[in-house]
Amino acid sequence: MTGLQAGLKNRHLSMIAIGGVIGAGLFVGSSSGIATAGPGILLSYALVGTLVVLVMRMLGEMSAANPTSGSFSAHADRALGRWAGFSIGWLYWFFWVVVLAVEATAGAKILEGWIPAVPQWGWALIVMVVLTATNLVSVGSYGEFEFWFAGIKVVAIGAFIVVGGLAVFGVLPGVDSDKAGLDNLTGHGGFLPNGPGAILTGVLLVVFSFMGSEIATLAAGESEDPQRAVTKSTNSIIWRIGVFYLGSIFVVVTLLPWDDKSIAEQGSYVAALDSLGIAHAGQIMNFIVLTSVLSCLNSGLYTASRMAFSLGERGDAPKAFARTTSRGVPLVAIVASVVFGFVAVFFNYKFPDSVFLFLVNSSGAVALFVWLVICFSQLRMRKIIQAEAPEKLVVKMWLYPYLTWATAALIVFVLGYMLTDTEHDGRETVLLSLLVAAVVLVIAVVKQKVGGGRAGLAAAASGEERDKVKTG
């Protein structure tokens, strides 16, 4: 057993940090948000983006002081107790193995469209096997794959923003885009055509596309300079969200009127490209979405396996999860995560409207639970770091503790608002996620009680042995 190795270079970490922010959800899920909130979806993205920046700042503070593959789960373990680290670690793992199935299916649909000779389930299998092999070779090969996947996404979105922006301002040569213009923001029923309440409904639709921004803090434990990597990714999150999310969505809603039928039919980014008359726009976008899907799969498998490894190390998962190969790869943790991913893919094909829908909804609110735990961990962890090693506070949460409390309150408010949302499955998602969280929490408390009792018996037994030695 050699433990994890520092196989990730700084360029890998930079791209993992950027790529983690750009999930496939940005391309796939934005059209429903635009249909719900109109151009006001920009405010929904800005609100969630601000929330993510604040949460990542807190996580950055804790991870820069103590970089570990368990990230927020390990911090929660120390700051709030074993039950918290156990619960949030397993919930996060569950979230990512369900994501594996969602992304594998999304990728398979695109690939089947290109090569119909291979059935969709066959493509899902091929994609999962290839990326499992990549993760099993070494952490460096995962980093290399992610470097190129994320690179394609970044270049594509950058080009989309530049080309779209030029078209909006009427300076793109050879393109006659009669629908483009800033008046799309206020025409067609105004900036908030469905009223201010739609901003919050938009938040519910876009919040899950931001999950993944925390991956850089998990990966930092396997980098050459963990503290520098965490500090860099934390400090750059503002421009990453500003450019990739707000920038690209701004271009979409200014290139086309928000109520244009093509947005719902083709997807927001494809429709926006099509409006410019760019040849093969749909296929170009499909290639970019496929890259995002593969990137998300690659990172999801990495993230789930490293969380399983960390849980194994702390005794909250089978000890085998914490074993690594000579290359520093947690083999059992990766295989266990993939097996559950395959089971979820099977459910997606066999019982898409029952079992798989339950899995997706019951993991849906986990992102918000994770963010909430990060808030409460940081409140406690700041005091611990200040008492033990104040020099490690290289990244600091702004306006501590007030902004931390405000962020936690906003997350609770969003969860509460989701309970009122029956139209987009918000209530079902929160209730099912709370049910799964409650089950995990009960297991954590029982485990801690049993573990505590055993530890007490062991301590008492060793105490009796000492007494015997003394009296003997």
Side-chain angles (χ1 to χ4, degrees):
M1 183 174 145
T2 57
L4 299 178
Q5 293 177 5
L8 292 175
K9 299 186 172 83
N10 285 329
R11 67 182 175 89
H12 293 155
L13 250 294
S14 299
M15 274 302 177
I16 289 167
I18 293 171
V21 174
I22 312 167
L26 174 62
F27 301 109
V28 181
S30 52
S31 48
S32 56
I34 292 168
T36 302
I41 194 69
L42 282 166
L43 296 180
S44 305
Y45 273 103
L47 195 62
V48 181
T50 304
L51 195 61
V52 172
V53 166
L54 294 171
V55 170
M56 287 309 115
R57 186 78 189 177
M58 296 176 218
L59 183 55
E61 176 182 297
M62 296 185 288
S63 295
N66 181 28
T68 166
S69 60
S71 187
F72 51 83
S73 170
H75 304 320
D77 195 305
R78 188 157 183 226
L80 306 174
R82 285 291 294 274
W83 62 272
F86 177 96
S87 306
I88 208 63
W90 277 114
L91 282 173
Y92 189 70
W93 178 85
F94 172 57
F95 171 86
W96 279 111
V97 291
V98 173
V99 166
L100 290 182
V102 173
E103 301 293 346
T105 308
K109 274 181 188 166
I110 295 171
L111 288 163
E112 190 194 25
W114 291 342
I115 307 172
V118 179
Q120 205 182 97
W121 65 265
W123 278 121
L125 189 67
I126 291 165
V127 163
M128 290 276 274
V129 168
V130 169
L131 291 175
T132 302
T134 306
N135 272 268
L136 285 173
V137 172
S138 70
V139 68
S141 66
Y142 153 72
E144 203 58 40
F145 256 70
E146 196 49 34
F147 178 79
W148 292 106
F149 283 153
I152 292 168
K153 284 193 289 190
V154 170
V155 170
I157 292 195
F160 176 79
I161 292 169
V162 171
V163 171
L166 291 172
V168 168
F169 293 104
V171 289
L172 188 66
V175 170
D176 180 30
S177 184
D178 52 338
K179 291 181 179 178
L182 293 174
D183 53 339
N184 281 333
L185 293 172
T186 50
H188 309 273
F191 186 66
L192 293 169
N194 298 327
I199 298 170
L200 283 172
T201 311
V203 164
L204 309 187
L205 294 171
V206 305
V207 70
F208 308 112
S209 64
F210 281 85
M211 194 68 167
S213 38
E214 70 295 322
I215 292 173
T217 63
L218 278 115
E222 291 175 83
S223 69
E224 296 158 343
D225 187 351
Q227 194 178 65
R228 180 174 172 269
V230 170
T231 307
K232 197 175 170 188
S233 68
T234 304
N235 290 337
S236 65
I237 191 138
I238 298 174
W239 72 259
R240 284 187 273 137
I241 287 174
V243 171
F244 297 125
Y245 276 84
L246 292 175
S248 63
I249 293 293
F250 174 81
V251 168
V252 170
V253 293
T254 48
L255 277 178
L256 281 171
W258 71 273
D259 53 357
D260 195 293
K261 284 180 185 167
S262 63
I263 290 179
E265 288 165 6
Q266 298 172 277
S268 46
Y269 287 79
V270 175
L273 275 179
D274 260 349
S275 74
L276 298 177
I278 293 173
H280 311 297
Q283 292 306 332
I284 293 168
M285 210 63 225
N286 271 339
F287 173 71
I288 295 161
V289 172
L290 179 65
T291 307
S292 289
V293 162
L294 294 176
S295 166
C296 203
L297 252 176
N298 196 32
S299 287
L301 183 50
Y302 172 82
T303 308
S305 64
R306 291 325 186 259
M307 187 55 79
F309 168 83
S310 177
L311 287 163
E313 256 194 336
R314 287 177 273 145
D316 289 336
K319 279 284 176 211
F321 283 16
R323 290 199 200 111
T324 56
T325 65
S326 57
R327 290 171 176 243
V329 173
L331 181 77
V332 179
I334 290 174
V335 171
S337 302
V338 172
V339 166
F340 275 91
F342 276 129
V343 169
V345 168
F346 168 76
F347 284 142
N348 192 7
Y349 288 109
K350 200 75 179 159
F351 316 104
D353 300 321
S354 53
V355 183
F356 189 69
L357 194 64
F358 168 80
L359 288 176
V360 171
N361 283 337
S362 61
S363 65
V366 167
L368 292 162
F369 296 165
V370 166
W371 295 348
L372 201 55
V373 165
I374 289 171
C375 291
F376 291 126
S377 299
Q378 192 263 339
L379 285 168
R380 179 90 185 81
M381 205 66 177
R382 167 70 75 94
K383 291 171 183 166
I384 294 171
I385 300 167
Q386 277 178 327
E388 292 179 2
E391 72 282 356
K392 287 187 176 179
L393 274 173
V394 288
V395 175
K396 280 189 178 182
M397 176 59 184
W398 308 294
L399 299 175
Y400 168 86
Y402 310 108
L403 206 47
T404 304
W405 279 111
T407 307
L410 183 58
I411 295 166
V412 171
F413 173 74
V414 170
L415 282 166
Y417 187 78
M418 282 178 81
L419 288 171
T420 68
D421 174 51
T422 49
E423 192 185 341
H424 303 99
D425 296 334
R427 175 182 291 176
E428 196 179 349
T429 298
V430 172
L431 292 175
L432 287 176
S433 296
L434 282 170
L435 174 68
V436 171
V439 170
V440 175
L441 202 56
V442 167
I443 295 168
V445 171
V446 169
K447 187 180 178 299
Q448 196 169 345
K449 285 256 168 71
V450 171
R454 279 185 190 150
L457 287 170
S462 63
E464 280 173 26
E465 285 296 320
R466 278 199 304 274
D467 291 342
K468 278 179 189 171
V469 170
K470 279 178 188 172
T471 51

